[in-house]
Amino acid sequence: MNSSNEGWASRIGLILAVASGAIGLGNFLRFPGQAVQNGGGAFMVPYIISFLILGIPVCLVEWTMGRMGGSHGRSFPFIFKEFLKGYPLRISGTIGVMIPVMIYVYYVFIESWCLAYVYYFLTGGLSLGSSEASGTAEVIAHSSDFFMNLTGAKENGSSFESSIFIFFLLCFFFNFFLVYRGLQKGLEAFAKLAIPLMGICSMIVLIRVLTIPGIESGLAVMWNPDWSLLAEPKVWINAAGQIFFSLSTGFGIALVFSSFLKKKDDVVLSSLSSASLNEFAEVVFGGMITIPVAFLFLGATVTAFGTFGMGFIALPAVFSMMPGGNIFGALWYFVLFLAALTSSVTMLQPGVLFLEEGFKLNRKKSSFLLFIFTFTLCLPIVYFNKDFAALDIADFYVGTILIYILASIQIFVFYFKVGVDKGVEYANEGSILPFPKVIQWILKYITPWFLLFVFLSFCYMNLPEYLDKMNPEKMGQLALLEGKSAHDAEVKAYIARYVVVGIILIFFLLYAVVSRAFFLREKKESV
Amino acid sequence: MTGEVSMNWQGVTIMISSLALVIALSLYCVYHLVRNRE
């Protein structure tokens, strides 16, 4: 059996598969963190505007382009044959195959942290102490210690000796088990089960959180607006970035999944439905649980935690202080685990589809090849995890910069090669709802340029810092100034360098593979 | 526990409007999906 001939069992299945790919840790951890650091309730103004001018248009474009290119194939490089040729096609095709596979490589490791927390909450192995007995600061210190030891973030290589390696293997095998089962029996069937389960578990945790006495002070920190921050450009850039990453636009996953659709099938309502499901999870569960409960127990320090700190240091500390915290902690990390698992399974599909289509492999062989490839790449990420060095660099260059590049390629190809009016006309064929006129106008005059502006601003704000992270001399000097080990900082900088070199080498390797797949297709067509 | 901050009317308005917006959008999609079942 070959997934590229299989398709989806139902429209709902496709919508849930795309939505399950989009709903991830970013909805539950990154969104509330961004909101509280960027004006609280005031953040919702640029957030909703970005949803309208970036989120919805890019989603609609991806689904429309996927259906358009479906006559050429089911994987990114072949779908894009509809729009490009020559080097631009091979480069875009390579990025389209590379992004989801490479993100999977580090995302599955983070997924295993969630599974580990479910296990430790359920078995009572996470005893961080109570705030009455030892004070909040000590509970947080214990939580931080537990997290750093568990994930091997204290010393390179220690993750291989920690229990996290077993959870990592479990997650890795389960992902490939679902991939091996195919689109309908694997991803689609699992998404149909996982999304309602996520909703039920989140609702239970939400009800528990909202019934804690004094929760309104936590809600105040999350939702009371600080309008003065709207004058800062970075707040608008962060809101646009949050929408962009939350909806998983630019991954090329919706494009690949919608390539199975026929001309008579809907794309407008389907793309809007998967986007709205993602927003529902983000605002209702992400906005109402994480920050309110964390503030209630930890106080104002809660704004200082980053995404990982919030998810794996602050919240475990909170659940350990809460009555019945073991049960609610296990439920919460089960939600995060499901969100991460459904996302990681969708990330593997474009790679498997490409191998099946480009090299006429069956699912068994394509899954096995991808397993070997991703597992080999995972090992250095897991090994060099001191201060999350390798993971952080991979996430920045693949999970951020390359996604912006691919999204820009898609939107500009749609803009210049397809044409907005022609594309909208095509999207309307077979669609249940018409392509909204206002979104058409926004797509024509605002979205491409806004996306480019956000991308360039993001690079301006973050690229210098990440380039410095690859400079051993500079990082060593900086560490000395901060009273830290210069040697450790230099090692970290060398790891960053090797990760970037690795990403570049993988790009060229995949470029050769994509070119070979095109060659084989052309040879077959000429016979 | 910490409990010094209280929600102001602007925070309440933004919270309720944001929740209402995403719930309304989801219900709108569900309504059309159900109406146009395959």
Side-chain angles (χ1 to χ4, degrees), chain A residues 149-445:
Chain A
N149 283 327
L150 175 76
T151 56
K154 281 192 170 168
E155 207 52 62
N156 285 329
S158 58
S159 49
F160 279 36
E161 292 152 17
S162 154
S163 60
I164 200 67
F165 197 69
I166 295 165
F167 292 107
F168 162 72
L169 290 177
L170 283 174
C171 289
F172 209 97
F173 281 106
F174 192 59
N175 270 285
F176 273 91
F177 168 72
L178 289 176
V179 168
Y180 177 67
R181 283 180 63 84
L183 279 179
Q184 280 182 24
K185 287 184 184 166
L187 173 60
E188 186 175 349
F190 187 66
K192 281 179 178 169
L193 178 77
I195 291 206
L197 202 55
M198 246 192 278
I200 293 167
C201 293
S202 306
M203 197 54 86
I204 295 171
V205 178
L206 178 63
I207 291 169
R208 173 71 189 105
V209 165
L210 292 181
T211 50
I212 298 174
I215 192 65
E216 54 275 16
S217 60
L219 290 169
V221 171
M222 175 71 197
W223 293 100
N224 279 358
D226 178 357
W227 298 113
S228 66
L229 284 177
L230 289 187
E232 290 187 19
K234 82 169 175 55
V235 171
W236 292 78
I237 306 291
N238 289 340
Q242 178 57 32
I243 278 293
F244 187 76
F245 292 112
S246 166
L247 289 169
S248 294
T249 45
F251 269 56
I253 286 175
L255 182 118
V256 168
F257 287 178
S258 58
S259 69
F260 289 92
L261 297 175
K262 296 184 177 65
K263 221 173 173 179
K264 62 175 179 53
D265 292 327
D266 165 82
V267 290
V268 176
L269 178 61
S270 301
S271 63
L272 204 59
S273 301
S274 65
S276 67
L277 195 54
N278 178 70
E279 287 310 298
F280 182 89
E282 182 150 300
V283 177
V284 176
F285 300 128
M288 299 295 284
I289 295 175
T290 315
I291 292 290
V293 75
F295 177 79
L296 196 61
F297 285 89
L298 305 180
T301 52
V302 81
T303 53
F305 290 100
T307 305
F308 283 171
M310 174 62 70
F312 300 101
I313 297 173
L315 287 179
V318 165
F319 284 117
S320 76
M321 290 189 243
M322 185 194 278
N326 272 359
I327 300 293
F328 293 103
L331 267 180
W332 174 249
Y333 284 95
F334 184 59
V335 169
L336 295 189
F337 170 66
L338 283 180
L341 178 62
T342 48
S343 299
S344 61
V345 178
T346 58
M347 287 171 199
L348 289 171
Q349 303 297 337
V352 166
L353 286 166
F354 168 68
L355 288 173
E356 288 178 357
E357 192 170 58
F359 298 95
K360 299 285 164 241
L361 300 177
N362 60 24
R363 193 184 301 140
K364 196 174 176 180
K365 283 183 186 162
S366 59
S367 305
F368 181 71
L369 265 180
L370 196 64
F371 179 92
I372 297 292
F373 182 69
T374 49
F375 192 72
T376 312
L377 294 177
C378 269
L379 292 179
I381 298 276
V382 176
Y383 186 89
F384 294 107
N385 198 39
K386 186 175 181 182
D387 296 332
F388 313 104
L391 199 153
D392 176 43
I393 297 293
D395 184 46
F396 179 76
Y397 287 103
V398 181
T400 312
I401 298 282
L402 270 186
I403 288 182
Y404 268 127
I405 291 174
L406 191 66
S408 304
I409 290 173
Q410 289 180 65
I411 209 91
F412 280 101
V413 164
F414 187 81
Y415 191 81
F416 288 111
K417 294 288 282 191
V418 179
V420 174
D421 292 336
K422 197 179 151 210
V424 168
E425 202 179 300
Y426 185 86
N428 279 332
E429 286 177 34
S431 283
I432 296 166
L433 293 179
F435 199 105
K437 288 266 180 222
V438 63
I439 300 292
Q440 183 177 353
W441 187 88
I442 289 170
L443 190 53
K444 211 169 181 176
Y445 298 106

Side-chain angles (χ1 to χ4, degrees), chain A residues 69-92:
Chain A
S71 55
H72 292 273
R74 310 289 185 220
S75 62
F76 197 105
F78 290 108
I79 294 168
F80 248 57
K81 271 186 93 170
E82 171 79 17
F83 314 107
L84 296 173
K85 55 186 176 185
Y87 283 112
L89 172 62
R90 271 177 268 167
I91 292 170
S92 320

Side-chain angles (χ1 to χ4, degrees), chain A residues 10-12 15 41-42 44 48 51 213 216-217 219-221 223-225 227 269 272-273 276 279-280 283-284 288 295-297 299 432-433, chain B residues 1-12 14-19 21-23 25-34 36-38:
Chain A
S10 66
R11 184 193 298 144
I12 295 293
I15 292 169
M44 292 312 287
I48 290 167
F51 181 58
E216 54 275 16
S217 60
L219 290 169
V221 171
W223 293 100
N224 279 358
W227 298 113
L269 178 61
L272 204 59
S273 301
S276 67
E279 287 310 298
F280 182 89
V283 177
V284 176
M288 299 295 284
F295 177 79
L296 196 61
F297 285 89
I432 296 166
L433 293 179
Chain B
M1 290 194 199
T2 314
E4 302 113 23
V5 197
S6 61
M7 247 185 138
N8 60 28
W9 68 269
Q10 292 178 341
V12 174
I14 294 170
M15 185 179 83
I16 291 174
S17 330
S18 302
L19 294 175
L21 192 71
V22 292
I23 291 169
L25 184 63
S26 304
L27 289 177
Y28 175 77
C29 292
V30 169
Y31 167 75
H32 282 287
L33 284 171
V34 171
N36 295 281
R37 257 188 314 221
E38 291 153 308

